[in-house]
Amino acid sequence: MAKALFLVASLLLYVLSLSSLVAATQRLDLVGSYKPIENIDDPKIQSLGEFAVNEHNKQAKTQLKFQKVISGEMQIVAGTNYKLQLTALEGTSSGTYGTLVFTDLNNKNNLINFYDVSK
């Protein structure tokens, strides 16, 4: 009986250690490399695009009007980097822009880069 309990306990520990290893491997896969943003219409992603346009307007003294984020990738680091492509109006003309927004661990957004890809 004691031998059977020992074997069951050993098997349980083995299974638990394997599941921990799988979970750790999945987390490591998320950290460091850029992954496509699956739900580009997520309000959080769209608000990051709007933030980028507004910050760019402040810094460059422009008057772009945010339309929508059309694609993007994210990278988990000590915070999250978001590489986004978005559309914005310059007057009546729509343009495509690329941006990099870093969200730190306190959820503060920082505009790292903003550039016109339609020219």
Side-chain angles (χ1 to χ4, degrees):
M1 179 76 154
K3 192 174 187 179
L5 284 175
F6 176 76
L7 286 174
V8 168
S10 296
L11 182 60
L12 183 59
L13 284 173
Y14 177 73
V15 168
L16 287 173
S17 66
L18 277 180
S19 65
S20 295
L21 179 62
V22 168
T25 302
Q26 288 173 337
R27 280 192 301 274
L28 284 175
D29 187 40
L30 291 175
V31 176
S33 60
Y34 275 94
K35 303 287 182 197
I37 297 171
E38 293 182 17
N39 182 8
I40 208 68
D41 295 321
D42 182 327
K44 176 183 176 179
I45 301 303
Q46 293 298 315
S47 70
L48 286 169
E50 187 170 18
F51 164 82
V53 170
N54 291 338
E55 279 300 301
H56 173 72
N57 283 339
K58 288 179 197 172
Q59 293 173 11
K61 304 208 183 321
T62 57
Q63 304 250 335
L64 295 175
K65 299 223 183 308
F66 173 75
Q67 289 182 297
K68 69 183 270 185
V69 175
I70 55 175
S71 67
E73 299 176 308
M74 61 187 284
Q75 175 191 41
I76 297 174
V77 289
T80 308
N81 283 316
Y82 294 92
K83 275 199 269 188
L84 306 173
Q85 289 234 335
L86 58 89
T87 57
L89 288 173
E90 185 174 13
T92 58
S93 176
S94 182
T96 304
Y97 299 88
T99 187
L100 177 61
V101 175
F102 173 70
T103 302
D104 67 21
L105 296 175
N106 295 317
N107 286 324
K108 182 176 185 283
N109 297 324
N110 300 285
L111 181 63
I112 306 301
N113 197 3
F114 192 93
Y115 53 96
D116 188 342
V117 296
S118 60
K119 290 184 179 177

